[in-house]
Amino acid sequence: ALAERSITIDAAMVAAERSALAASLDPDPNLAERLLEDIRRRQGLGPVRFDALLRRNAGLRALVRDEVRVTEDGLARQHDLLHGPKRVARIIAAQTLADADAARRALDAGAAFGDLAVQRSTDASAARGGLLGPISRSDPSWPEAFRSVLFALSVGETSAPTLVEESYLIVRLEEVRPGGGPSIAALRSDLERTYRAAQERILMEERARAFKAALGRRRKVHLISAATSLGVAPLLADVCRRLDRL
């Protein structure tokens, strides 16, 4: 596809991908570099594989860049995502409805949600007692089914088991954080930049899936990204947890 459009991926484009990844980890360049090296160490990303992933990202970005359209509605959603109200929750994930129902009965019998999440949840958040970072209603990185359940709860309320993608989730709302901050007009430049990056990511994932389908076999098309709203610890996992899903 790159050759068909006469697109060449050069060292500067690869370096830009690396810089963008580091910048998304932390605004402090030194800390960002340490986090990035930690990610590579934890995930076994040596120089050759890491460079290949960055190059592939750069290629996908070059293919989709001209397809992104910045709209007023999109900027409003991005503003809500970054500065609107957020909800903090805990979850227990189970592979079957029977397991989820058993967890819910344990909660009804008085089990502490966090303790039960550590013991039974199949989600990566189990080690934190199921605790997730602040979540926006507009955040497309979370399944709509999950956001619908989360934003229907009152503080302290626990949901019934709900099928979200491949797992049954029990959700407990811990905290509501009000929105605030500057207006869309005051933040327009930053909103356009972050909205464009988010849309590029979505289109890149779509293009990667299309490439995989066109190949007609289980060859993996990898992306690398640090987009997350869970904080530093999940960030480390998020950068590479999707590398082998596409």
Side-chain angles (χ1 to χ4, degrees):
L2 292 172
E4 292 173 1
R5 294 173 56 175
S6 300
I7 298 174
T8 301
I9 304 303
D10 57 26
M13 297 170 73
V14 175
E17 287 294 326
R18 189 187 189 285
S19 296
L21 177 59
S24 68
L25 293 172
D26 197 273
D28 181 336
N30 293 325
L31 179 56
E33 284 298 321
R34 291 198 297 273
L35 289 171
L36 185 54
E37 289 307 310
D38 189 36
I39 289 166
R40 293 180 58 181
R41 177 181 57 79
R42 289 170 184 245
Q43 300 295 331
L45 290 173
V48 174
R49 185 178 180 219
F50 186 54
D51 182 77
L53 289 170
L54 292 174
R55 186 170 295 274
R56 193 164 298 162
N57 250 37
L60 288 167
R61 195 178 305 280
L63 288 172
V64 306
R65 182 172 290 119
D66 292 340
E67 299 176 21
V68 176
R69 298 290 180 269
V70 177
T71 65
E72 293 302 317
D73 182 60
L75 292 181
R77 290 197 304 272
Q78 190 69 9
H79 185 270
D80 182 68
L81 174 63
L82 297 175
H83 303 285
K86 305 286 194 304
R87 296 200 165 199
V88 178
R90 293 183 187 269
I91 63 169
I92 295 173
Q95 293 183 334
T96 68
L97 180 58
D99 288 343
D101 283 338
R104 180 63 213 232
R105 288 195 297 272
L107 291 172
D108 291 341
F113 197 103
D115 292 342
L116 198 64
V118 170
Q119 296 166 11
R120 301 194 186 186
S121 181
T122 60
D123 187 71
S125 63
R128 304 185 302 278
L131 184 65
L132 306 178
I135 298 169
S136 165
R137 185 68 178 86
S138 301
D139 190 346
S141 67
W142 294 97
E144 175 61 32
F146 168 71
R147 285 180 282 150
S148 294
V149 170
L150 175 59
F151 279 78
L153 296 174
S154 300
V155 173
E157 186 179 4
T158 301
S159 75
T162 303
L163 181 62
V164 178
E165 295 185 338
E166 298 177 355
S167 296
Y168 289 90
L169 299 186
I170 301 172
V171 184
R172 175 182 169 85
L173 178 60
E174 297 287 337
E175 178 187 355
V176 174
R177 298 184 182 178
S183 66
I184 293 177
L187 296 171
R188 190 174 188 88
S189 178
D190 286 343
L191 290 174
E192 288 182 353
R193 175 180 54 80
T194 55
Y195 177 76
R196 176 173 289 279
Q199 294 305 302
E200 284 179 353
R201 171 68 187 184
I202 292 171
L203 292 172
M204 288 163 68
E205 290 182 336
E206 291 175 353
R207 190 64 61 93
R209 286 193 291 269
F211 285 157
K212 177 184 173 181
L215 288 173
R217 58 185 184 275
R218 296 190 64 82
R219 179 177 173 182
K220 293 173 183 177
V221 182
H222 298 317
L223 295 178
I224 184 167
S225 171
T228 186
S229 47
L230 301 188
V232 172
L235 256 176
L236 297 174
D238 184 77
V239 172
C240 297
R241 69 180 178 176
R242 297 182 184 272
L243 293 180
D244 296 317
R245 284 185 61 182
L246 298 177

